[in-house]
């Protein structure tokens, strides 16, 4: 039985999801909630090792292998950290989850959205978020933001523009298919107005 809340943040690289995630976590903690902040890939010791491999490995990683590394990370993360926290009644706020795999591996790498979703659901015993905040941003704007903030790009960030355009439309299609789970926000809006709208949606889930 799950009693807590599971909130995920999604969006293309440079969409500002990490900033919004931190603002939400600060607010939830000020309100007295017990919060687990975590991310994928990563979030566990094994996950940090897998993150380094999948994002920074020098050698080639085949698309299917890449998809399975993300799924392996997710299986371990959910079983050892996320699900126990939700069952304790915590609010889990997570940077990226299975929608990232569907968008990046399923559609970006063209492995098939349904296939990749099924693998992730199998890996997690069907755990879906209560709320997914999607920060939508045109891919070239995301790129500009990264260019000013990064000294090195990871394997996915380094992909060409078409890849990121596919990722963006995949996210929008996912949100359209599940309008209750997704809150889609225009990432070019001000940081404050985005944070306020996210807080308001989370408040309604808490009441
Ligand atoms: P981050 O920079 O937002 O932490 O994400 C790391 C990269 O990993 C980002 O480019 C998106 C990518 N990614 C996938 O391709 N598939 C996944 O399932 C996840 C969780 C992330």
């Amino acid at each position: 039985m799950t009693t807590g809340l599971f909130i995920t943040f999604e969006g293309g690289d440079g969409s500002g999801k990490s900033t919004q995630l931190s603002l939400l976590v600060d607010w939830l903690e000020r309100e007295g909630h017990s919060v687990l902040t975590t991310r994928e890939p990563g979030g566990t010791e094994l996950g940090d090792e897998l993150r380094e491999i999948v994002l920074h490995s020098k050698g080639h990683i085949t698309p299917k292998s890449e998809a399975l590394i993300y799924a392996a990370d997710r299986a371990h993360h959910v079983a050892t950290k996320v699900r126990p926290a939700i069952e304790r009644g915590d609010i889990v706020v997570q940077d990226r989850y299975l929608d990232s795999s569907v968008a990046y591996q399923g559609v970006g790498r063209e492995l098939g959205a349904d296939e990749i979703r099924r693998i992730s659901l199998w890996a997690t015993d069907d755990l879906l978020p209560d709320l997914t905040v999607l920060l939508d941003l045109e891919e070239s704007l995301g790129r500009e933001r990264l260019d000013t903030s990064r000294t090195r790009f990871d394997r996915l960030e380094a992909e060409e523009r078409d890849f990121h355009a596919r990722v963006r439309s995949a996210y929008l299609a996912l949100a359209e298919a599940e309008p209750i789970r997704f809150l889609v926000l225009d990432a070019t809006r001000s940081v404050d107005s985005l944070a306020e709208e996210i807080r308001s949606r989370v408040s309604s889930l808490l009441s």
Side-chain angles (χ1 to χ4, degrees):
M1 196 189 73
T2 56
T3 53
L5 207 56
F6 184 27
I7 301 169
T8 57
F9 280 75
E10 295 283 357
D13 299 284
S15 60
K17 64 190 165 42
S18 307
T19 303
Q20 288 301 329
L21 182 149
S22 306
L23 290 170
L24 177 66
V25 169
D26 289 349
W27 174 74
L28 285 168
E29 286 177 345
R30 279 202 306 277
E31 294 286 301
H33 295 284
S34 174
V35 181
L36 171 71
T37 311
T38 189
R39 68 173 179 176
E40 288 183 8
T44 62
E45 244 175 69
L46 173 66
D48 284 337
E49 291 176 35
L50 293 172
R51 180 181 177 94
E52 193 52 34
I53 292 170
V54 78
L55 294 184
H56 302 297
S57 176
K58 296 270 185 298
H60 176 62
I61 300 179
T62 65
K64 283 188 177 174
S65 170
E66 178 185 280
L68 291 169
I69 297 172
Y70 282 112
D73 166 58
R74 185 159 301 130
H76 185 73
H77 185 218
V78 166
T80 63
K81 229 172 141 175
V82 176
R83 197 183 286 279
I86 298 169
E87 286 175 355
R88 277 198 307 272
D90 289 359
I91 301 178
V92 177
V93 183
Q94 184 166 316
D95 199 338
R96 297 194 182 278
Y97 188 53
L98 90 174
D99 301 298
S100 280
S101 280
V102 175
Y104 282 78
Q105 282 65 54
V107 181
R109 297 278 191 232
E110 303 182 271
L111 290 174
D114 291 346
E115 209 90 342
I116 294 296
R117 182 182 162 93
R118 264 201 300 278
I119 290 168
S120 266
L121 288 174
W122 176 78
T124 62
D125 295 319
D126 296 325
L127 181 69
L128 279 173
D130 300 291
L131 170 67
T132 297
V133 178
L134 171 60
L135 288 160
D136 176 53
L137 186 65
E138 209 244 299
E139 63 286 351
S140 59
L141 291 177
R143 187 75 216 179
E144 274 172 32
R145 289 185 181 184
L146 285 186
D147 281 342
T148 52
S149 65
R150 293 280 158 91
T151 50
R152 68 167 184 170
F153 295 106
D154 68 42
R155 288 179 55 259
L156 282 296
E157 288 166 349
E159 279 296 331
E160 87 286 11
R161 191 178 167 165
D162 281 2
F163 177 92
H164 291 287
R166 284 199 297 281
V167 168
R168 182 189 182 204
S169 35
Y171 270 135
L172 291 172
L174 284 168
E176 209 175 296
E178 286 184 76
I180 295 174
R181 173 162 72 90
F182 274 88
L183 171 64
V184 185
L185 298 172
D186 172 355
T188 61
R189 283 168 49 187
S190 77
V191 169
D192 288 348
S193 86
L194 289 168
E196 198 181 315
E197 190 164 344
I198 295 167
R199 279 198 298 270
S200 147
R201 175 61 80 89
V202 173
S203 290
S204 70
L205 290 176
L206 291 169
S207 56

